[in-house]
Amino acid sequence: MEGILLPVCSLFFSGLLLYVYFSKDRVNLLENKMYSWMIMCSFVDSLLVCILQSIAFFYQPGFLDFIISLLNKLDFAMLILICNCIFNYIAIITLPEFKKKYKKYRIPFMITDIIIFIFIFFGNVEAIKSGNSYTASGSAVLMAELLCGLYLLMTLVIVLFNLKKVDKRYFFVFVMLFLLIGVLIVVNINPYLIWVSIIVCFVNYIMYFTIDNPDVKMIQQLNAAKDAAE
């Protein structure tokens, strides 16, 4: 039973954040769209993990293998999209040139993601159960972890090489990046720890209260319009 507690908490708080964020007026910015996709993928990821952990209570080898494999692959796709959104979000708010040419830059990343998704959906997922705990291994898991880790490392490199441009908000960017990289390492050490969805949810909240609060951005836009008018 304990294996489903964290995913359920993540599902509840992800849904709550989703409701609060989309119930507010927001400035139509590219980074806001990235964050919107990120919290939607996080909610779907939490839902998939809850379903998988529920199935794990009565899972037996050979029973529901196809469904479990498919749900895991969808979950991996959501995690890759989340890391992709984090990379794009930080690159957009850090590098003005990246923001201006985003449509051009996103093409190679989309191609890379599609290729990885194909490998994942044709890859192997092996369900492993220990007591009431459940995890998965196989080539699809490895591909997902490698791409997520690559996106997070690229994000960290962008911030580190642009320290002169960043402000105090980036302290929280470092916090969330180290949390995500740390959870990837911990899950590889002990795959039965179902921490990924709750850590992603926590990162979403960090971003909401520090660098993507719609109220703050609305005030910033109003102040900029006021200054321009004066």
Side-chain angles (χ1 to χ4, degrees):
M1 184 67 183
E2 63 277 4
I4 201 172
L5 294 179
L6 285 179
V8 167
C9 289
S10 174
L11 181 64
F12 172 77
F13 285 107
S14 294
L16 181 62
L17 180 60
L18 207 60
Y19 171 77
V20 171
Y21 188 77
F22 283 103
S23 65
K24 289 178 174 289
D25 293 329
R26 299 178 308 282
V27 181
N28 188 25
L29 298 174
L30 183 57
E31 56 264 38
N32 289 10
K33 294 178 181 178
M34 290 295 112
Y35 184 72
S36 299
W37 277 104
M38 182 178 167
I39 59 177
M40 286 190 288
C41 290
S42 178
F43 178 79
V44 174
D45 168 67
S46 299
L47 180 61
L48 289 169
V49 175
C50 285
I51 295 171
L52 283 165
Q53 291 302 314
S54 299
I55 293 174
F57 291 136
F58 54 86
Y59 171 75
Q60 296 296 329
F63 179 58
L64 296 176
D65 277 353
F66 174 77
I67 294 176
I68 287 177
S69 176
L70 179 61
L71 290 174
N72 269 292
K73 290 171 182 179
L74 290 172
D75 179 44
F76 301 152
M78 290 300 106
L79 292 174
I80 291 171
L81 287 173
I82 289 168
C83 292
N84 186 329
C85 288
I86 291 173
F87 168 78
N88 282 300
Y89 186 99
I90 300 303
I92 287 166
I93 67 172
T94 307
L95 306 172
E97 188 66 21
F98 184 91
K99 185 174 183 177
K100 291 178 182 178
K101 298 182 179 179
Y102 171 72
K103 290 184 179 180
K104 176 182 176 181
Y105 290 143
R106 72 177 179 178
I107 295 174
F109 291 111
M110 288 177 63
I111 293 172
T112 302
D113 286 346
I114 290 170
I115 293 171
I116 296 296
F117 288 159
I118 292 171
F119 275 108
I120 286 174
F121 279 96
F122 284 97
N124 176 52
V125 174
E126 181 183 354
I128 304 172
K129 185 178 180 183
S130 177
N132 287 329
S133 299
Y134 156 83
T135 188
S137 65
S139 59
V141 181
L142 180 61
M143 292 295 293
E145 289 178 346
L146 286 175
L147 189 55
C148 287
L150 179 61
Y151 272 128
L152 295 175
L153 285 175
M154 288 193 302
T155 307
L156 186 59
V157 168
I158 286 175
V159 178
L160 289 174
F161 277 87
N162 292 275
L163 286 176
K164 293 181 180 179
K165 299 179 183 179
V166 303
D167 55 39
K168 62 182 179 181
R169 297 176 305 167
Y170 281 77
F171 168 77
F172 299 100
V173 173
F174 283 115
V175 170
M176 72 181 195
L177 286 175
F178 285 123
L179 275 173
L180 291 168
I181 294 171
V183 78
L184 280 177
I185 295 171
V186 170
V187 167
N188 275 281
I189 296 173
N190 186 350
Y192 294 103
L193 294 175
I194 315 301
W195 284 10
V196 176
S197 57
I198 195 68
I199 293 297
V200 170
C201 179
F202 183 59
V203 165
N204 288 337
Y205 273 85
I206 290 176
M207 291 181 68
Y208 180 82
F209 286 109
T210 56
I211 57 178
D212 204 276
N213 190 311
D215 295 332
V216 173
K217 289 198 170 183
M218 191 71 74
I219 292 170
Q220 290 173 344
Q221 290 292 310
L222 290 171
N223 287 337
K226 179 184 175 183
D227 292 341
E230 289 176 349

